[in-house]
Amino acid sequence: MPLSPLEHDRRYGELDQVMRAYVGQPADDTPDRPSQALTAYLRHTWHTRPWALAVAERQLRDYADNPPGRLRLRLGEFYAVPDVGLPQDAVQPWLYCLADHIKHSIETGEVPPPAPPATHWEWHARFPELGQFLSGWFSQDMPDEFDDHDAAVDDYRGSTDSQLVARLVGELHELLALDLDESDYALAVAELGMEVDAPAPYSPSGWLARVAEQLSTPPADAR
């Protein structure tokens, strides 16, 4: 039978986070240099959950030491490493390589310097509520569901817990504080799930600033 959620997280939870960091990214780590995906994982995890790095190192090494055998494969009681574009016989050395890089980072305190997110995983890990907001309210179906962007923002505020709304406002200010080029803000909102353009006459960053202001202002009926 498949692993229960609790057993999955105990044995593979942080390994899974590392693997998710490689979505859309090449697994081109070498013993001398971590990939962009692993660097993004290290950067974000050092900042938010530094204790999880040791868990990741152990789970990666344990999985490489004990890959699932025939019985576990037949029963489904294992974690399936996603296809990262490597030959099957290269996966085990690659997992050891990742574990070695994480161990080195922990033991030396070498932390990737602060930077804007570099991967799809890092965008969503750093801005989770913004990802929920943009993908949930500004998908390609948005014009069919709402009269305009303001109506979608109002619907989000009216249907979302106030603590999550406050978290979104904080993430909007954090994103704007990165002071990116407009083309990079356009990339950011696309990575986070927005499938429609910002309303005229706003640029992507201008619209994000407007949304932060809208959500920071009490609705008229609450004044």
Side-chain angles (χ1 to χ4, degrees):
M1 59 182 295
L3 290 169
S4 70
L6 181 59
E7 187 64 18
H8 172 276
D9 287 351
R10 282 176 173 169
R11 294 165 62 180
Y12 308 117
E14 201 58 31
L15 163 65
D16 184 55
Q17 285 298 307
V18 177
M19 294 299 101
R20 289 174 185 271
Y22 282 84
V23 173
Q25 296 292 316
D28 56 357
D29 308 82
T30 68
D32 297 324
R33 182 188 61 81
S35 64
Q36 179 171 260
L38 185 60
T39 299
Y41 170 81
L42 288 169
R43 176 169 47 236
H44 182 73
T45 308
W46 264 114
H47 180 68
T48 57
R49 302 178 303 123
W51 53 267
L53 293 166
V55 178
E57 189 271 342
R58 175 178 55 79
Q59 291 185 355
L60 283 160
R61 208 172 294 282
D62 285 350
Y63 192 97
D65 286 343
N66 302 286
R70 292 180 181 178
L71 178 61
R72 287 166 63 194
L73 288 171
R74 181 165 59 84
L75 296 175
E77 296 177 350
F78 72 102
Y79 175 82
V81 172
D83 184 2
V84 292
L86 295 175
Q88 189 60 38
D89 60 358
V91 171
Q92 185 181 45
W94 174 66
L95 294 174
Y96 282 128
C97 180
L98 302 188
D100 289 344
H101 279 302
I102 294 173
K103 180 181 179 182
H104 175 80
S105 181
I106 295 170
E107 291 182 339
T108 64
E110 290 186 15
V111 182
T119 67
H120 181 78
W121 175 88
E122 191 178 10
W123 277 112
H124 283 267
R126 185 165 175 179
F127 299 103
E129 189 60 27
L130 183 53
Q132 289 288 329
F133 171 67
L134 293 176
S135 62
W137 276 262
F138 293 93
S139 70
Q140 60 185 352
D141 296 327
M142 173 260 173
D144 298 324
E145 297 176 354
F146 303 103
D147 291 338
D148 54 25
H149 289 63
D150 287 350
V153 173
D154 288 341
D155 183 79
Y156 167 83
R157 174 162 52 184
S159 60
T160 304
D161 187 277
S162 60
Q163 296 181 64
L164 295 178
V165 175
R167 184 176 300 170
L168 172 59
V169 172
E171 290 183 11
L172 285 165
H173 286 300
E174 181 180 351
L175 177 54
L176 291 167
L178 294 178
D179 196 24
L180 306 175
D181 294 335
E182 279 307 325
S183 60
D184 291 326
Y185 277 115
L187 173 63
V189 296
E191 287 281 8
L192 289 166
M194 188 170 182
E195 296 178 339
V196 295
D197 292 332
Y202 295 100
S203 64
S205 67
W207 179 70
L208 293 172
R210 172 175 166 75
V211 172
E213 182 180 2
Q214 286 176 286
L215 295 177
S216 299
T217 304
D221 58 3
R223 296 175 189 170

